[in-house]
Amino acid sequence: MRLFLLMFLLLLCHGKPHQPIDVQNAVTDTNDVMMQDAWNWRMNTHDDDDDDDDDDDDNDLIDCPKDCECSLRVVRCADKALGRVPKKIPKDTVMLDLQNNYIAEIGEDDFKGLSNIYALFLLNNVLTKIHPKAFRDMTKLKLLYLSYNMLPEIPANLPKGLFELRISDNNINRIQKDAFKGLMSLQVLEITANPLANSGIELGAFDNMATLFLRIAEAKLTAVPKDLPTSVLDLNLDYNKIAKVEVEDFYRYKKLQRLGLEFNSIKSVENGSFASLPNIREIRLDNNRLRRVPPGLSSLKYLQVLLLHANKISFVGADDFCPTGESAKKMDYTGISLFANPVRHWQIPPVTFRCVSSRGLHMGNRRK
């Protein structure tokens, strides 16, 4: 089930830019995981009969904060025009939904004693400040959604057990050193749509942390950031202003399997830039300014999906995609896109696509 949850989150992160997150749909897909934790909590702390369980349900209603709805350890306070975090949130709360309010600040004691919370949704508020000790009791927190706010930087002292952190569409123009220190369980980190430039990422910002999915899109990056987590499997830097890919950009990311560089201003890829990615499966370079197929692709034995459409490629060589001689490709391409380029399909030697599956080529001519 946890594997399914991860796949759901990764697909969600690949949604359209500025697409608001439907928390209720996310809750539906993660509900069984959270409720299992809640059930385990009940089994470990309650040994009473069914009548006592009914009393507990009544207590849920009695203890529910004003203007909120409570059920099965889930507290929903969304769309209530709240200006601050409600008081007296039940200590056994597993999920707290505070999205679509007017909360501007999280105080030191707003979440005091809430040690059972698994998911916290604070999307679409007006947050500008989160106290450094606000999350000190949230030792079980896995999902933290802070997108669509006005935060100027990454909150300090994030819970070490976080599984997913979304902090897109804020005012973050700086990622301070050790901002994610100790987040070794993080699976998904989404920092899209912030005014973040390369100069705003301090050296050591990603030290002592791990993540599988990382997206820094719709920012002001002019180059691939250095010193990203070496654990990353899926890296997305789309919708930036990157002009060039250099040899040293990816040499640290041996585990990388999916790379998204679409919708940038890339004019060139240095030879050997992808040579350090032995496990890469997918590279997206569409909607850039490339004039030729990036060199070195034929050495990537596991590369299956390569998107190059909507560039300025006018020539494709016979050995641009497939290895020559005794070299063998472990997996054939399942998708290569070359449409919306000036190259004509009849100008490309048929042998060029000898390692592409029969339906894996998407070829067309640029429309005038």
Side-chain angles (χ1 to χ4, degrees), residues 284-309:
R284 301 188 304 279
L285 279 163
D286 55 280
N287 290 279
N288 278 283
R289 300 179 183 177
L290 293 170
R291 294 186 177 277
R292 58 167 294 184
V293 175
L297 296 175
S298 61
S299 66
L300 302 176
K301 296 184 177 182
Y302 294 96
L303 182 60
Q304 293 179 277
V305 176
L306 177 63
L307 305 186
L308 293 170
H309 57 271

Side-chain angles (χ1 to χ4, degrees), residues 190-218:
E190 172 80 55
I191 323 176
T192 290
N194 283 285
L196 183 65
N198 289 79
S199 59
I201 303 177
E202 294 185 4
L203 186 64
F206 297 94
D207 282 358
N208 193 26
M209 66 92 64
T211 187
L212 301 183
F213 176 97
L214 173 60
R215 190 177 186 216
I216 309 177
E218 298 177 69

